[in-house]
């Protein structure tokens, strides 16, 4: 006997892992910045990978958390239906929703800082689930070890802590949990922002193979549509569900990052000008004795930007941390404006600490969400001994293309791109000699990344400040860097020339960021 039409329709609906029907929601951090999503419809089928795109600040992460039953305080569902299989997720009790998290619904956040506890070793905290038996814990540990090998993550048996991994390695560690469970729905928030370009393809291919293997549905939140278009079974443009009147405020356009007409680097500072930063014989070891950085030396002159590139775990962020004095056992010398400074921050004077300012990949994680922009900038200006009047705050905002009325906003009300610009404003308020930039555009959509790059480029060119840029994005390195220091396994592969002349064209720089990690490369030290 053949099923009737109603039975066939029910079977087809049940075949979807997640189905969203005419969902309308309001995402608001304040009355002035409320964003409305209207009549969103989508269906995620087993064994498929879908990509959700949209401009920074449109509400992608907040909405996806709501779809798994985690409503942030600033999110309100107005109407619509969300079915997880055949279960109406929005109508479920909160305890029922929480029972799904980590087992049937797996969320991989963009930042490891929101998922990994600093005082616990990495393997221990991601291989243990509440309520597991000893046998289940042992089996999951074996699965995790295989996932570490599959994703090329080192140190499984070394009892490492989060701070002992690079940003790209931490991102892969979070992704490894996909291979230790059998969820029905996997939500990955910007899973490739900290990865070396050559690793992105292999990681996404591994995720897609795992999704097909267990019959799950994967939803990726990303700004990298050109990359994910090749792997996605469908693309969901969230901005299509946002009424035009309330779409995120557009930022002032900047010159394209890719395909620039300039074929060479920016003009270098005169050789006679003393370097802003001089690093010599820098060596850093892990607590286990494993070398992290080996005999690295370089100089950065005023108005120049040195790009540091290389695969994940090469030692790029370790160098930035050492410059900030976070590696007390480091060996070598660090000189700023010809003055040697202590290797550990506890031995540095207040003035020496202010000479180096750091802008991380995600500024938002480092800000108190309850504090206003006005308070944050005034405090930084006051600490640096500068004028902290309203005019000074407005001037600081204008330098990073933020309007004056943002003074009254809290940092929680800003989008990712706006937070990055605020982070730059806070760093510039100290008038530093050196600006340390760690993947500052990796988590931004192309428009906001373009604006941030343009802001940094203008400040580098107009002042005596020097910059050190760590990035996996070849277009950003080509846009900003005066020269490139390439690392592999903590050693310099492509050194800066002694005469500080341009060592390669922009095309060569872009190419050097995307070399194959398996390809042998001769060291030219």
């Amino acid at each position: 006997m053949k099923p009737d039409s109603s039975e066939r329709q029910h079977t087809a609906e049940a075949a979807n892992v997640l189905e969203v029907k005419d969902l309308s929601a309001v995402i608001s951090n304040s009355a002035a910045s409320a964003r409305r999503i209207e009549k969103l419809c989508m269906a995620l089928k087993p064994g498929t990978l879908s990509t959700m795109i949209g401009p920074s600040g449109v509400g992608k992460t907040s909405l996806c958390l709501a779809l798994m039953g985690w409503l942030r305080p600033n999110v309100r569902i107005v109407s619509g239906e969300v079915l997880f299989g055949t279960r109406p997720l929005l109508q479920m009790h909160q305890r029922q929703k929480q029972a799904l998290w980590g087992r049937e619904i797996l969320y991989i956040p963009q930042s490891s800082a929101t998922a990994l506890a600093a005082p616990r070793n990495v393997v221990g905290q991601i291989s243990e689930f509440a309520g597991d038996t000893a046998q289940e814990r042992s089996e999951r540990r074996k699965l995790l070890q295989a996932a570490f090998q599959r994703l090329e993550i080192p140190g499984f048996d070394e009892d490492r802590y989060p701070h002992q991994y690079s940003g790209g390695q931490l991102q892969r560690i979070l992704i490894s949990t996909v291979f230790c469970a059998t969820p029905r729905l996997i939500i990955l928030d910007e899973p490739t922002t900290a990865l070396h370009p050559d690793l992105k393809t292999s990681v996404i291919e591994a995720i897609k193979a795992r999704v097909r293997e267990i019959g799950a549905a994967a939803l990726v939140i990303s700004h990298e549509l050109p990359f994910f278009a090749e792997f996605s079974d469908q693309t969901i443009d969230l901005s299509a569900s946002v009424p035009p009147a309330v779409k995120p405020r557009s930022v002032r356009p900047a010159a394209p990052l890719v395909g620039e007409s300039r074929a060479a680097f920016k003009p270098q500072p005169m050789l006679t000008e003393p370097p802003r930063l001089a690093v010599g014989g820098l060596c850093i070891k892990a607590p286990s004795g494993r070398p992290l950085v080996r005999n690295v030396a370089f100089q950065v002159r005023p108005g120049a930007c040195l790009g540091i590139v290389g695969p994940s775990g090469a030692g790029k962020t370790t160098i930035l941390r050492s410059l900030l004095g976070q590696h007390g056992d480091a060996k070598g010398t660090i000189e700023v404006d010809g003055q040697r400074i202590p290797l550990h921050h506890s031995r540095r004077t207040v003035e020496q600490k202010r000479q180096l300012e750091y802008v991380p990949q995600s500024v938002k994680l480092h800000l108190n969400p309850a504090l206003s922009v006005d308070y944050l900038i005034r405090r930084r200006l006051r600490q640096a001994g500068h004028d902290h009047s309203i005019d000074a705050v407005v001037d600081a905002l204008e330098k990073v293309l933020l309007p004056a009325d943002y003074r009254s906003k809290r940092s929680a009300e800003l989008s990712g791109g706006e937070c990055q610009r605020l982070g730059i404003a806070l760093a510039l308020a100290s008038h530093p000699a050196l600006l340390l930039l760690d993947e500052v555009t990796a988590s931004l959509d192309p428009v906001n990344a373009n604006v941030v790059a343009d802001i940094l480029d203008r400040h580098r060119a107009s002042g005596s400040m020097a910059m050190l840029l760590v990035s996996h994005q070849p277009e950003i390195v080509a846009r900003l860097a005066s020269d490139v220091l390439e690392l592999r396994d903590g050693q310099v592969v492509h050194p800066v020339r002694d005469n500080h002349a341009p060592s390669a064209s922009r095309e060569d720089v872009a190419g050097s960021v995307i070399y194959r990690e398996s390809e042998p490369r001769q060291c030219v030290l």
Side-chain angles (χ1 to χ4, degrees), residues 31 44 66 101 107 171 176 207 246 279 282 334 360 376 406 412 415 446 490 504:
L44 308 183
W101 301 345
Y107 174 68
Q171 198 160 47
S176 69
I207 292 173
V246 295
V279 176
L282 186 64
I334 300 175
L376 292 169
Y406 271 45
S415 69

Side-chain angles (χ1 to χ4, degrees), residues 329-489:
D329 57 347
K331 307 296 181 183
T333 61
I334 300 175
E335 294 182 2
V336 178
D337 289 334
Q339 299 295 318
R340 186 167 176 174
I341 64 175
L343 292 172
H344 196 264
H345 70 88
S346 63
R347 300 188 183 96
R348 296 179 184 178
T349 65
V350 173
E351 187 59 35
Q352 287 173 336
K353 292 176 181 177
R354 286 180 185 153
Q355 288 180 304
L356 292 86
E357 285 288 350
Y358 174 69
V359 182
Q361 176 179 340
S362 181
V363 171
K364 199 160 194 169
L365 293 174
H366 296 258
L367 298 176
N368 186 332
L371 299 180
S372 70
V373 171
D374 182 82
Y375 177 85
L376 292 169
I377 296 178
R378 280 177 184 265
R379 181 177 64 181
R380 184 63 63 91
L381 290 169
R382 185 171 57 251
Q383 290 171 342
H386 302 312
D387 173 29
H388 52 277
S389 63
I390 293 178
D391 289 341
V393 174
V394 171
D395 181 61
L397 290 172
E398 288 178 350
K399 287 180 179 178
V400 294
L401 306 183
L402 288 175
D405 59 6
Y406 271 45
R407 287 179 47 248
S408 60
K409 287 181 175 287
R410 293 179 294 112
S411 61
E413 300 177 48
L414 305 183
S415 69
E418 290 167 343
C419 270
Q420 290 303 101
R421 284 185 270 166
L422 175 59
I424 295 170
L426 293 172
L428 294 176
S430 297
H431 297 175
L434 185 71
L435 195 60
L436 308 178
L437 308 167
D438 194 359
E439 299 281 3
V440 287
T441 60
S443 59
L444 303 181
D445 63 82
V447 173
N448 277 286
N450 223 359
V451 171
V452 169
D454 188 52
I455 291 169
L456 292 171
D457 201 12
R458 288 190 297 105
H459 283 287
R460 179 209 58 79
S462 62
S464 58
M465 181 178 63
M467 295 183 183
L468 210 61
L469 170 70
V470 167
S471 180
H472 284 120
Q473 296 174 292
E475 65 274 14
I476 293 294
V477 176
R479 172 78 178 273
L480 295 176
S482 307
D483 214 325
V484 168
L485 187 78
E486 187 175 325
L487 295 176
R488 177 184 283 194
D489 296 328

